[in-house]
Amino acid sequence: MSDIQRTLVLLKPDALQRDLLGEIIRRFEFKGLKIVGLKFIRLTDELLDEHYAHLSDKPFFANIKKFMMQTPVVGLVLEGFEAITEVRKIVGSTNPRQADAGTIRADLSMNVPSNLIHASDSIEAADAELKRFFNDEEIFAYEKITDRYVLGEGV
Ligand code: UDP
Ligand code: MG
């Protein structure tokens, strides 16, 4: 039996600047992922130190932080069957030129750090990142009439 999970996605400043917010969200909607949280977030130095702590010793750390503060980012909470893995699959590998064709990063971007999107990469990361960027009141559980086709057996 597959698990229904929630995962955290951030649409990065290049997605906003390049008018790709709708295209990216459309891909998640068409997959059958339910948007249960959606808002603008203005990232700060402190938030990014936490969020990218695993990269703090990398030479590009200052650069990725500067990039992520250029505009507000769009935060999404997506829900669905094995949403954490499924979203990462749709997003593609970190380097857009090594990402599989058909993924968001491969189809719509060329280079790091501007690979359009962040997505939680594990259950632990999703847990921490959802708490980092969304309050409980900002996440909405609701039924869609399509749930029976997307999540169930269609009847
Ligand atoms: N990044 C970069 N240069 C690199 C590797 C990563 O600028 O050589 C940026 C890129 O925007 C990436 C982010 O840092 O998405 C976070 O890196 P991570 O390894 O966590 O990749 P992700 O989980 O985003 O695929
Ligand atoms: Mg990562």
Side-chain angles (χ1 to χ4, degrees), residues 51-52 54-55 88 94 105 118-121 125 129:
H51 184 61
Y52 283 137
H54 62 294
L55 303 174
R88 285 290 295 197
T94 308
R105 283 169 167 172
H118 166 84
S120 309
D121 64 4
E129 292 174 0

Short mmCIF file of all heavy atoms in Angstrom, two decimals, residues 51-52 54-55 88 94 105 118-121 125 129, ligand 2:
data_model
loop_
_atom_site.label_atom_id
_atom_site.label_comp_id
_atom_site.label_asym_id
_atom_site.label_seq_id
_atom_site.Cartn_x
_atom_site.Cartn_y
_atom_site.Cartn_z
N HIS A 51 18.40 26.25 5.70
CA HIS A 51 17.90 25.44 4.58
C HIS A 51 19.03 24.80 3.79
O HIS A 51 18.92 23.66 3.33
CB HIS A 51 17.05 26.33 3.67
CG HIS A 51 16.41 25.61 2.55
ND1 HIS A 51 15.51 24.57 2.74
CD2 HIS A 51 16.53 25.75 1.21
CE1 HIS A 51 15.11 24.13 1.56
NE2 HIS A 51 15.72 24.80 0.62
N TYR A 52 20.13 25.54 3.62
CA TYR A 52 21.26 25.01 2.83
C TYR A 52 22.46 24.68 3.73
O TYR A 52 23.60 24.73 3.27
CB TYR A 52 21.64 26.00 1.72
CG TYR A 52 20.68 25.98 0.53
CD1 TYR A 52 20.25 27.16 -0.07
CD2 TYR A 52 20.23 24.78 -0.01
CE1 TYR A 52 19.39 27.13 -1.17
CE2 TYR A 52 19.36 24.75 -1.10
CZ TYR A 52 18.95 25.92 -1.68
OH TYR A 52 18.10 25.90 -2.77
N HIS A 54 23.62 21.95 4.62
CA HIS A 54 24.44 20.85 4.07
C HIS A 54 25.43 21.34 3.01
O HIS A 54 26.29 20.58 2.57
CB HIS A 54 23.54 19.75 3.49
CG HIS A 54 22.67 20.18 2.34
ND1 HIS A 54 21.65 21.10 2.47
CD2 HIS A 54 22.67 19.82 1.04
CE1 HIS A 54 21.06 21.28 1.29
NE2 HIS A 54 21.66 20.52 0.40
N LEU A 55 25.30 22.60 2.60
CA LEU A 55 26.18 23.14 1.56
C LEU A 55 27.12 24.22 2.10
O LEU A 55 27.84 24.86 1.34
CB LEU A 55 25.34 23.76 0.43
CG LEU A 55 24.32 22.84 -0.25
CD1 LEU A 55 23.46 23.63 -1.23
CD2 LEU A 55 25.04 21.70 -0.98
N ARG A 88 10.49 14.72 -6.71
CA ARG A 88 11.92 14.75 -7.08
C ARG A 88 12.12 14.19 -8.49
O ARG A 88 12.94 14.66 -9.26
CB ARG A 88 12.77 13.95 -6.08
CG ARG A 88 13.00 14.62 -4.74
CD ARG A 88 13.90 15.82 -4.77
NE ARG A 88 15.27 15.56 -5.13
CZ ARG A 88 16.28 16.40 -4.90
NH1 ARG A 88 16.07 17.57 -4.28
NH2 ARG A 88 17.50 16.12 -5.28
N THR A 94 20.02 17.72 -10.00
CA THR A 94 20.45 19.08 -9.66
C THR A 94 21.03 19.82 -10.87
O THR A 94 20.67 20.97 -11.12
CB THR A 94 21.52 19.00 -8.54
OG1 THR A 94 21.00 18.21 -7.47
CG2 THR A 94 21.88 20.38 -8.03
N ARG A 105 13.74 20.43 -14.67
CA ARG A 105 15.07 21.04 -14.81
C ARG A 105 15.67 20.80 -16.19
O ARG A 105 16.27 21.70 -16.78
CB ARG A 105 15.99 20.50 -13.70
CG ARG A 105 15.71 21.15 -12.34
CD ARG A 105 16.42 20.42 -11.23
NE ARG A 105 16.43 21.18 -9.97
CZ ARG A 105 16.85 20.67 -8.82
NH1 ARG A 105 17.28 19.41 -8.75
NH2 ARG A 105 16.83 21.42 -7.73
N HIS A 118 13.30 23.98 -5.86
CA HIS A 118 13.79 23.15 -4.76
C HIS A 118 12.70 22.16 -4.39
O HIS A 118 11.52 22.52 -4.39
CB HIS A 118 14.12 23.99 -3.52
CG HIS A 118 14.28 23.14 -2.29
ND1 HIS A 118 15.47 22.51 -2.00
CD2 HIS A 118 13.39 22.73 -1.35
CE1 HIS A 118 15.31 21.77 -0.90
NE2 HIS A 118 14.06 21.89 -0.48
N ALA A 119 13.08 20.93 -4.07
CA ALA A 119 12.11 19.96 -3.57
C ALA A 119 12.76 19.10 -2.50
O ALA A 119 13.93 18.68 -2.65
CB ALA A 119 11.60 19.08 -4.70
N SER A 120 12.04 18.82 -1.43
CA SER A 120 12.56 17.98 -0.34
C SER A 120 13.01 16.63 -0.90
O SER A 120 12.36 16.07 -1.77
CB SER A 120 11.48 17.72 0.71
OG SER A 120 10.88 18.92 1.13
N ASP A 121 14.14 16.12 -0.35
CA ASP A 121 14.69 14.90 -0.93
C ASP A 121 14.55 13.65 -0.06
O ASP A 121 15.07 12.59 -0.41
CB ASP A 121 16.16 15.12 -1.31
CG ASP A 121 17.05 15.40 -0.11
OD1 ASP A 121 16.56 15.36 1.03
OD2 ASP A 121 18.25 15.67 -0.32
N ALA A 125 13.81 15.34 5.48
CA ALA A 125 13.95 16.70 4.93
C ALA A 125 12.57 17.33 4.75
O ALA A 125 12.37 18.50 5.08
CB ALA A 125 14.70 16.65 3.61
N GLU A 129 11.53 20.75 6.44
CA GLU A 129 11.32 21.88 5.52
C GLU A 129 9.87 22.38 5.56
O GLU A 129 9.62 23.58 5.44
CB GLU A 129 11.74 21.48 4.10
CG GLU A 129 13.25 21.29 4.02
CD GLU A 129 13.75 20.75 2.69
OE1 GLU A 129 12.93 20.51 1.78
OE2 GLU A 129 14.98 20.57 2.56
MG MG B 2 18.82 19.43 -1.84
#
